[in-house]
Protein backbone atom coordinates (compact mmCIF):
# COMPACT_ATOMS: atom_id res chain seq x y z
CA UNK A 1 0.00 0.00 0.00
CA UNK A 2 1.75 3.23 -1.04
CA UNK A 3 1.70 6.01 1.51
CA UNK A 4 -0.73 8.24 -0.39
CA UNK A 5 -3.41 5.56 -0.29
CA UNK A 6 -3.22 5.11 3.49
CA UNK A 7 -6.30 6.86 4.99
CA UNK A 8 -5.70 9.85 7.31
CA UNK A 9 -8.14 11.74 9.53
CA UNK A 10 -6.86 15.13 10.70
CA UNK A 11 -8.32 16.96 13.69
CA UNK A 12 -7.01 20.51 14.03
CA UNK A 13 -8.22 23.15 16.45
CA UNK A 14 -7.41 25.47 19.36
CA UNK A 15 -6.19 24.49 22.80
CA UNK A 16 -8.38 22.21 24.93
CA UNK A 17 -11.06 21.80 22.25
CA UNK A 18 -10.86 18.03 22.77
CA UNK A 19 -8.66 17.15 19.76
CA UNK A 20 -6.43 14.58 21.50
CA UNK A 21 -9.27 12.86 23.34
CA UNK A 22 -11.44 12.57 20.23
CA UNK A 23 -8.55 11.57 17.94
CA UNK A 24 -7.45 8.77 20.27
CA UNK A 25 -10.97 7.38 20.62
CA UNK A 26 -11.58 7.51 16.86
CA UNK A 27 -8.21 5.83 16.22
CA UNK A 28 -9.13 3.09 18.68
CA UNK A 29 -12.55 2.53 17.03
CA UNK A 30 -10.93 2.26 13.59
CA UNK A 31 -7.80 0.42 14.81
CA UNK A 32 -5.76 3.25 13.21
CA UNK A 33 -2.46 4.68 14.45
CA UNK A 34 -2.61 7.94 16.44
CA UNK A 35 -0.29 10.99 16.31
CA UNK A 36 -0.45 13.79 18.88
CA UNK A 37 1.59 16.33 16.90
CA UNK A 38 1.42 18.85 19.74
CA UNK A 39 3.41 16.45 21.90
CA UNK A 40 6.36 16.86 19.51
CA UNK A 41 6.34 20.65 19.93
CA UNK A 42 5.92 20.20 23.68
CA UNK A 43 8.91 17.82 23.75
CA UNK A 44 11.06 20.45 22.05
CA UNK A 45 9.81 22.98 24.61
CA UNK A 46 10.56 20.61 27.49
CA UNK A 47 14.07 20.00 26.12
CA UNK A 48 14.60 23.78 26.10
CA UNK A 49 13.31 24.11 29.68
CA UNK A 50 15.57 21.24 30.82
CA UNK A 51 18.67 22.40 28.96
CA UNK A 52 18.11 26.19 29.07
CA UNK A 53 18.96 26.50 25.38
CA UNK A 54 18.04 29.99 24.13
CA UNK A 55 14.47 29.57 22.81
CA UNK A 56 15.20 32.17 20.09
CA UNK A 57 18.15 30.13 18.73
CA UNK A 58 16.24 28.64 15.78
CA UNK A 59 19.09 26.41 14.54
CA UNK A 60 19.69 24.92 17.99
CA UNK A 61 15.95 24.22 18.39
CA UNK A 62 15.79 22.66 14.93
CA UNK A 63 18.65 20.32 15.93
CA UNK A 64 16.73 19.35 19.08
CA UNK A 65 13.58 18.73 17.02
CA UNK A 66 15.46 16.67 14.43
CA UNK A 67 17.16 14.50 17.04
CA UNK A 68 14.36 14.05 19.57
CA UNK A 69 14.87 10.68 21.29
CA UNK A 70 11.18 10.04 21.92
CA UNK A 71 9.17 6.86 22.46
CA UNK A 72 5.37 6.90 22.23
CA UNK A 73 3.83 3.96 24.06
CA UNK A 74 0.02 3.99 24.32
CA UNK A 75 -0.70 7.09 26.43
CA UNK A 76 2.82 7.39 27.91
CA UNK A 77 5.75 9.31 26.46
CA UNK A 78 9.48 8.92 27.04
CA UNK A 79 12.14 11.51 26.24
CA UNK A 80 15.72 10.19 26.43
CA UNK A 81 14.36 7.22 28.37
CA UNK A 82 12.63 9.42 31.00
CA UNK A 83 8.82 9.33 31.38
CA UNK A 84 7.64 12.87 30.56
CA UNK A 85 3.95 12.07 30.04
CA UNK A 86 2.75 14.63 32.57
CA UNK A 87 5.74 17.02 32.40
CA UNK A 88 4.81 18.06 28.85
CA UNK A 89 1.17 18.76 29.81
CA UNK A 90 1.79 21.89 31.91
CA UNK A 91 0.56 25.21 30.56
CA UNK A 92 4.18 26.49 30.83
CA UNK A 93 5.24 23.79 28.38
CA UNK A 94 2.24 24.42 26.12
CA UNK A 95 2.94 28.15 26.01
CA UNK A 96 6.65 27.67 25.17
CA UNK A 97 5.69 25.07 22.54
CA UNK A 98 3.38 27.64 20.97
CA UNK A 99 6.19 30.24 20.93
CA UNK A 100 8.73 27.81 19.47
CA UNK A 101 6.20 26.58 16.89
CA UNK A 102 6.41 29.94 15.11
CA UNK A 103 9.92 29.02 13.89
CA UNK A 104 10.15 27.66 10.33
CA UNK A 105 13.24 25.50 11.00
CA UNK A 106 11.54 23.77 13.94
CA UNK A 107 8.44 23.01 11.88
CA UNK A 108 10.56 21.74 8.98
CA UNK A 109 12.56 19.52 11.35
CA UNK A 110 9.36 17.86 12.63
CA UNK A 111 7.61 17.43 9.26
CA UNK A 112 9.05 14.10 8.10
CA UNK A 113 8.78 12.64 11.59
CA UNK A 114 5.04 13.44 11.56
CA UNK A 115 4.52 12.08 8.05
CA UNK A 116 6.26 8.82 9.02
CA UNK A 117 3.26 8.07 11.28
CA UNK A 118 1.16 7.47 8.13
CA UNK A 119 1.24 3.67 8.22
CA UNK A 120 -1.34 0.99 7.33
CA UNK A 121 -4.17 0.58 8.10
CA UNK A 122 -4.55 4.33 8.74
CA UNK A 123 -3.76 7.35 10.93
CA UNK A 124 -5.77 9.75 13.08
CA UNK A 125 -3.80 12.84 14.05
CA UNK A 126 -4.45 16.10 15.89
CA UNK A 127 -2.75 19.49 15.99
CA UNK A 128 -2.88 22.91 14.32
CA UNK A 129 -1.78 22.30 10.70
CA UNK A 130 -2.33 18.59 10.15
CA UNK A 131 -4.96 19.10 7.46
CA UNK A 132 -3.54 22.31 5.98
CA UNK A 133 0.19 21.39 5.79
CA UNK A 134 1.27 17.98 7.07
CA UNK A 135 -1.41 15.80 5.41
CA UNK A 136 -3.08 18.04 2.77
CA UNK A 137 -4.51 14.94 1.04
CA UNK A 138 -6.14 13.59 4.21
CA UNK A 139 -9.30 11.52 3.70
CA UNK A 140 -11.24 13.58 6.28
CA UNK A 141 -10.26 16.96 7.80
CA UNK A 142 -11.96 18.23 10.96
CA UNK A 143 -11.62 21.63 12.64
CA UNK A 144 -12.63 20.99 16.25
CA UNK A 145 -13.50 23.97 18.43
CA UNK A 146 -15.51 25.04 21.51
CA UNK A 147 -16.04 28.33 23.35
CA UNK A 148 -12.96 29.64 25.18
CA UNK A 149 -14.84 29.42 28.47
CA UNK A 150 -15.76 25.78 27.88
CA UNK A 151 -12.17 24.98 26.84
CA UNK A 152 -10.80 26.64 29.99
CA UNK A 153 -13.18 24.56 32.11
CA UNK A 154 -12.13 21.36 30.30
CA UNK A 155 -8.40 22.10 30.67
CA UNK A 156 -8.86 23.06 34.33
CA UNK A 157 -10.62 19.74 35.10
CA UNK A 158 -8.01 17.82 33.12
CA UNK A 159 -4.99 19.40 34.88
CA UNK A 160 -6.50 18.99 38.35
CA UNK A 161 -7.21 15.32 37.56
CA UNK A 162 -3.49 14.96 36.62
CA UNK A 163 -2.48 16.55 39.92
CA UNK A 164 -1.19 19.65 38.10
CA UNK A 165 -1.94 22.97 39.86
CA UNK A 166 -4.28 25.24 37.83
CA UNK A 167 -6.30 28.45 38.10
CA UNK A 168 -9.36 28.88 35.87
CA UNK A 169 -8.85 32.61 35.24
CA UNK A 170 -5.17 32.10 34.35
CA UNK A 171 -6.13 29.20 32.07
CA UNK A 172 -8.72 31.33 30.27
CA UNK A 173 -6.11 34.05 29.70
CA UNK A 174 -3.57 31.42 28.52
CA UNK A 175 -6.16 30.05 26.08
CA UNK A 176 -6.89 33.47 24.60
CA UNK A 177 -3.14 34.14 24.22
CA UNK A 178 -2.37 30.72 22.72
CA UNK A 179 -5.36 30.96 20.32
CA UNK A 180 -4.13 34.34 19.09
CA UNK A 181 -0.48 33.27 18.76
CA UNK A 182 -1.30 30.01 16.94
CA UNK A 183 -3.78 31.55 14.50
CA UNK A 184 -1.97 34.80 13.64
CA UNK A 185 1.54 33.42 13.02
CA UNK A 186 2.91 33.62 9.46
CA UNK A 187 3.94 29.96 9.22
CA UNK A 188 1.33 27.15 9.29
CA UNK A 189 -1.28 29.20 11.17
CA UNK A 190 -4.20 27.48 12.87
CA UNK A 191 -7.11 27.94 10.47
CA UNK A 192 -10.07 26.02 9.08
CA UNK A 193 -9.13 24.96 5.56
CA UNK A 194 -11.77 25.12 2.78
CA UNK A 195 -12.05 21.32 2.61
CA UNK A 196 -12.37 20.99 6.39
CA UNK A 197 -15.52 20.18 8.42
CA UNK A 198 -16.17 22.49 11.37
CA UNK A 199 -17.25 20.74 14.58
CA UNK A 200 -18.20 23.01 17.51
CA UNK A 201 -18.25 20.74 20.56
CA UNK A 202 -19.23 23.35 23.18
CA UNK A 203 -22.49 21.54 23.93
CA UNK A 204 -21.59 18.04 22.77
CA UNK A 205 -20.42 15.07 24.84
CA UNK A 206 -17.25 13.18 23.97
CA UNK A 207 -19.36 10.27 22.71
CA UNK A 208 -21.44 12.55 20.47
CA UNK A 209 -18.29 14.07 18.96
CA UNK A 210 -16.66 10.67 18.35
CA UNK A 211 -19.84 9.36 16.69
CA UNK A 212 -20.03 12.45 14.45
CA UNK A 213 -16.41 12.05 13.34
CA UNK A 214 -16.99 8.37 12.58
CA UNK A 215 -20.18 9.25 10.65
CA UNK A 216 -18.29 11.84 8.61
CA UNK A 217 -15.47 9.39 7.92
CA UNK A 218 -17.80 6.59 6.83
CA UNK A 219 -19.63 9.05 4.59
CA UNK A 220 -16.45 10.13 2.76
CA UNK A 221 -14.68 6.77 2.27
N1 LIG B 1 -16.90 17.23 24.08
C1 LIG B 1 -16.31 17.28 25.29
N2 LIG B 1 -17.06 17.55 26.38
C2 LIG B 1 -16.48 17.62 27.61
N3 LIG B 1 -15.15 17.41 27.85
C3 LIG B 1 -14.37 17.13 26.78
C4 LIG B 1 -14.89 17.06 25.46
N4 LIG B 1 -13.86 16.75 24.63
C5 LIG B 1 -12.75 16.66 25.40
N5 LIG B 1 -13.05 16.87 26.68
C6 LIG B 1 -12.12 16.90 27.82
O1 LIG B 1 -11.43 18.14 27.72
C7 LIG B 1 -10.07 18.00 28.16
C8 LIG B 1 -9.13 18.53 27.08
O2 LIG B 1 -9.21 17.66 25.97
P1 LIG B 1 -7.92 17.41 25.04
O3 LIG B 1 -8.25 16.24 24.18
O4 LIG B 1 -6.69 17.36 25.88
O5 LIG B 1 -7.92 18.75 24.17
P2 LIG B 1 -6.82 19.27 23.10
O6 LIG B 1 -6.08 18.04 22.63
O7 LIG B 1 -7.66 19.92 22.03
O8 LIG B 1 -5.97 20.24 23.84
C9 LIG B 1 -9.87 16.52 28.45
O9 LIG B 1 -9.93 16.29 29.85
C10 LIG B 1 -11.05 15.85 27.76
O10 LIG B 1 -11.46 14.66 28.43
N1 LIG C 1 0.59 20.58 14.63
C1 LIG C 1 0.88 21.44 15.64
C2 LIG C 1 0.66 21.05 17.00
C3 LIG C 1 1.01 21.94 18.01
N2 LIG C 1 1.56 23.15 17.67
C4 LIG C 1 2.00 24.11 18.70
C5 LIG C 1 0.96 25.17 18.97
C6 LIG C 1 0.32 24.71 20.26
O1 LIG C 1 -0.12 25.82 21.04
C7 LIG C 1 1.42 23.95 20.96
C8 LIG C 1 0.93 22.81 21.83
O2 LIG C 1 0.08 22.00 21.03
P1 LIG C 1 -0.94 20.98 21.76
O3 LIG C 1 -1.87 20.44 20.68
O4 LIG C 1 -0.20 20.02 22.59
O5 LIG C 1 -1.74 21.99 22.69
P2 LIG C 1 -3.20 21.74 23.30
O6 LIG C 1 -3.23 20.34 23.80
O7 LIG C 1 -4.16 21.98 22.14
O8 LIG C 1 -3.30 22.77 24.38
O9 LIG C 1 2.24 23.41 19.90
C9 LIG C 1 1.73 23.54 16.33
O10 LIG C 1 2.19 24.65 16.05
N3 LIG C 1 1.42 22.65 15.34
Amino acid sequence: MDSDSIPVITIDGPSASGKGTIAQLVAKKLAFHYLDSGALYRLVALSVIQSNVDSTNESALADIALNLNVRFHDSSLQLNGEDVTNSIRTEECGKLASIIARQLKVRAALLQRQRAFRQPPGLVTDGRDMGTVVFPDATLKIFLTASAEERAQRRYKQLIEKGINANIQTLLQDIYERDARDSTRDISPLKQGEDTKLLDTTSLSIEEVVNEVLRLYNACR
Side-chain angles (χ1 to χ4, degrees):
M1 186 188 252
D2 68 85
S3 177
D4 294 351
S5 60
I6 299 171
V8 179
I9 301 173
T10 61
I11 303 181
D12 290 312
S15 183
S17 54
K19 301 180 299 301
T21 303
I22 301 306
Q24 286 179 79
L25 290 171
V26 169
K28 193 169 180 182
K29 286 268 187 186
L30 297 173
F32 280 10
H33 299 287
Y34 166 60
L35 167 61
D36 169 3
S37 64
L40 297 174
Y41 290 92
R42 286 171 177 266
L43 285 165
V44 177
L46 185 64
S47 302
V48 168
I49 293 167
Q50 291 179 342
S51 63
N52 61 48
V53 161
D54 175 356
S55 62
T56 61
N57 182 338
E58 200 165 334
S59 300
L61 266 57
D63 280 346
I64 290 172
L66 210 54
N67 299 295
L68 276 179
N69 174 13
V70 56
R71 282 198 68 237
F72 291 88
H73 184 68
D74 290 337
S75 54
S76 74
L77 205 57
Q78 287 192 344
L79 178 66
N80 304 321
E82 177 201 348
D83 187 315
V84 294
T85 309
N86 279 351
S87 312
I88 65 165
R89 292 300 163 198
T90 64
E91 279 307 291
E92 176 201 12
C93 197
K95 179 175 180 178
L96 183 56
S98 172
I99 291 167
I100 285 170
R102 292 181 296 195
Q103 298 177 12
L104 178 64
K105 286 182 182 175
V106 171
R107 303 201 74 86
L110 291 175
L111 191 55
Q112 287 318 318
R113 186 189 291 262
Q114 293 174 88
R115 287 177 171 164
F117 276 80
R118 187 174 190 170
Q119 298 297 330
L123 174 68
V124 184
T125 180
D126 71 282
R128 300 296 187 282
D129 63 339
M130 306 315 279
T132 50
V133 175
V134 183
F135 299 104
D137 65 336
T139 319
L140 171 65
K141 300 178 183 181
I142 302 277
F143 190 91
L144 201 72
T145 192
S147 70
E149 293 73 14
E150 172 65 13
R151 289 185 282 131
Q153 285 294 340
R154 291 176 183 177
R155 182 56 33 95
Y156 176 79
K157 192 163 166 265
Q158 179 183 34
L159 292 174
I160 296 300
E161 283 168 358
K162 288 178 185 282
I164 299 173
N165 194 21
N167 171 287
I168 188 70
Q169 285 312 317
T170 308
L171 278 175
L172 184 58
Q173 186 55 35
D174 287 349
I175 279 177
Y176 282 128
E177 286 172 8
R178 198 114 77 76
D179 287 355
R181 191 183 301 112
D182 292 348
S183 51
T184 58
R185 67 191 183 204
D186 296 335
I187 304 159
S188 303
L190 168 63
K191 64 180 180 183
Q192 182 188 347
E194 283 169 23
D195 52 357
T196 305
K197 310 272 188 198
L198 176 65
L199 209 41
D200 186 326
T201 71
T202 305
S203 311
L204 297 176
S205 69
I206 290 171
E207 186 183 6
E208 287 169 326
V209 178
V210 168
N211 290 339
E212 178 60 8
V213 173
L214 290 170
R215 185 189 69 77
L216 289 167
Y217 176 65
N218 289 323
C220 71
R221 280 195 304 176

Tab-separated table of all heavy atoms in Angstrom, residues 71 74 77 98 108-109 141 147 152 154 168 176 205:
chain	number	residue	atom	x	y	z
A	71	ARG	N	9.906	8.139	22.630
A	71	ARG	CA	9.170	6.864	22.459
A	71	ARG	C	7.728	7.087	22.875
A	71	ARG	O	7.452	7.526	23.981
A	71	ARG	CB	9.790	5.767	23.335
A	71	ARG	CG	11.072	5.189	22.744
A	71	ARG	CD	11.443	3.839	23.359
A	71	ARG	NE	10.487	2.787	23.000
A	71	ARG	CZ	9.805	2.054	23.882
A	71	ARG	NH1	9.934	2.260	25.171
A	71	ARG	NH2	8.959	1.128	23.481
A	74	ASP	N	1.407	3.772	23.888
A	74	ASP	CA	0.020	3.992	24.321
A	74	ASP	C	-0.105	5.449	24.770
A	74	ASP	O	0.191	6.349	24.009
A	74	ASP	CB	-0.391	3.011	25.444
A	74	ASP	CG	-0.507	1.580	24.867
A	74	ASP	OD1	-0.713	1.488	23.618
A	74	ASP	OD2	-0.350	0.627	25.609
A	77	LEU	N	4.765	8.674	27.349
A	77	LEU	CA	5.748	9.306	26.465
A	77	LEU	C	7.105	9.340	27.160
A	77	LEU	O	7.183	9.721	28.333
A	77	LEU	CB	5.255	10.740	26.238
A	77	LEU	CG	5.645	11.495	25.009
A	77	LEU	CD1	5.251	10.754	23.752
A	77	LEU	CD2	4.952	12.864	25.023
A	98	SER	N	4.062	26.737	21.896
A	98	SER	CA	3.379	27.643	20.970
A	98	SER	C	4.331	28.732	20.464
A	98	SER	O	4.307	29.097	19.282
A	98	SER	CB	2.197	28.277	21.701
A	98	SER	OG	1.597	29.295	20.947
A	108	ALA	N	9.984	22.561	10.060
A	108	ALA	CA	10.557	21.736	8.980
A	108	ALA	C	11.225	20.496	9.559
A	108	ALA	O	11.133	19.400	9.001
A	108	ALA	CB	11.573	22.571	8.201
A	109	ALA	N	11.842	20.655	10.727
A	109	ALA	CA	12.560	19.520	11.349
A	109	ALA	C	11.593	18.454	11.868
A	109	ALA	O	11.975	17.293	12.026
A	109	ALA	CB	13.419	20.028	12.501
A	141	LYS	N	-10.894	15.886	7.010
A	141	LYS	CA	-10.264	16.959	7.798
A	141	LYS	C	-11.333	17.597	8.673
A	141	LYS	O	-12.380	18.019	8.185
A	141	LYS	CB	-9.659	18.007	6.860
A	141	LYS	CG	-8.582	17.467	5.922
A	141	LYS	CD	-8.086	18.566	5.016
A	141	LYS	CE	-7.060	18.039	4.019
A	141	LYS	NZ	-6.549	19.135	3.150
A	147	SER	N	-16.216	26.978	22.832
A	147	SER	CA	-16.037	28.334	23.352
A	147	SER	C	-14.789	28.366	24.247
A	147	SER	O	-14.418	27.337	24.847
A	147	SER	CB	-17.261	28.748	24.165
A	147	SER	OG	-17.296	27.987	25.373
A	152	ALA	N	-11.517	26.371	28.731
A	152	ALA	CA	-10.795	26.636	29.995
A	152	ALA	C	-11.293	25.682	31.084
A	152	ALA	O	-10.496	25.116	31.846
A	152	ALA	CB	-10.996	28.083	30.406
A	154	ARG	N	-12.605	22.715	30.614
A	154	ARG	CA	-12.128	21.362	30.303
A	154	ARG	C	-10.661	21.193	30.707
A	154	ARG	O	-10.268	20.196	31.292
A	154	ARG	CB	-12.297	21.080	28.806
A	154	ARG	CG	-13.741	20.954	28.367
A	154	ARG	CD	-13.848	20.783	26.853
A	154	ARG	NE	-15.247	20.741	26.426
A	154	ARG	CZ	-15.626	20.657	25.149
A	154	ARG	NH1	-14.701	20.597	24.175
A	154	ARG	NH2	-16.905	20.614	24.826
A	168	ILE	N	-8.456	28.757	37.016
A	168	ILE	CA	-9.360	28.879	35.870
A	168	ILE	C	-9.196	30.220	35.139
A	168	ILE	O	-9.174	30.259	33.896
A	168	ILE	CB	-10.843	28.639	36.285
A	168	ILE	CG1	-11.756	28.565	35.053
A	168	ILE	CG2	-11.320	29.659	37.287
A	168	ILE	CD1	-11.572	27.323	34.215
A	176	TYR	N	-6.741	32.333	25.524
A	176	TYR	CA	-6.887	33.473	24.605
A	176	TYR	C	-5.545	33.802	23.924
A	176	TYR	O	-5.468	33.992	22.716
A	176	TYR	CB	-7.389	34.720	25.350
A	176	TYR	CG	-8.871	34.733	25.648
A	176	TYR	CD1	-9.345	34.960	26.947
A	176	TYR	CD2	-9.809	34.510	24.635
A	176	TYR	CE1	-10.701	34.965	27.226
A	176	TYR	CE2	-11.175	34.521	24.899
A	176	TYR	CZ	-11.614	34.746	26.196
A	176	TYR	OH	-12.966	34.744	26.468
A	205	SER	N	-21.200	15.980	23.991
A	205	SER	CA	-20.419	15.071	24.838
A	205	SER	C	-19.304	14.455	23.996
A	205	SER	O	-19.337	14.511	22.759
A	205	SER	CB	-21.321	13.951	25.360
A	205	SER	OG	-21.681	13.103	24.270
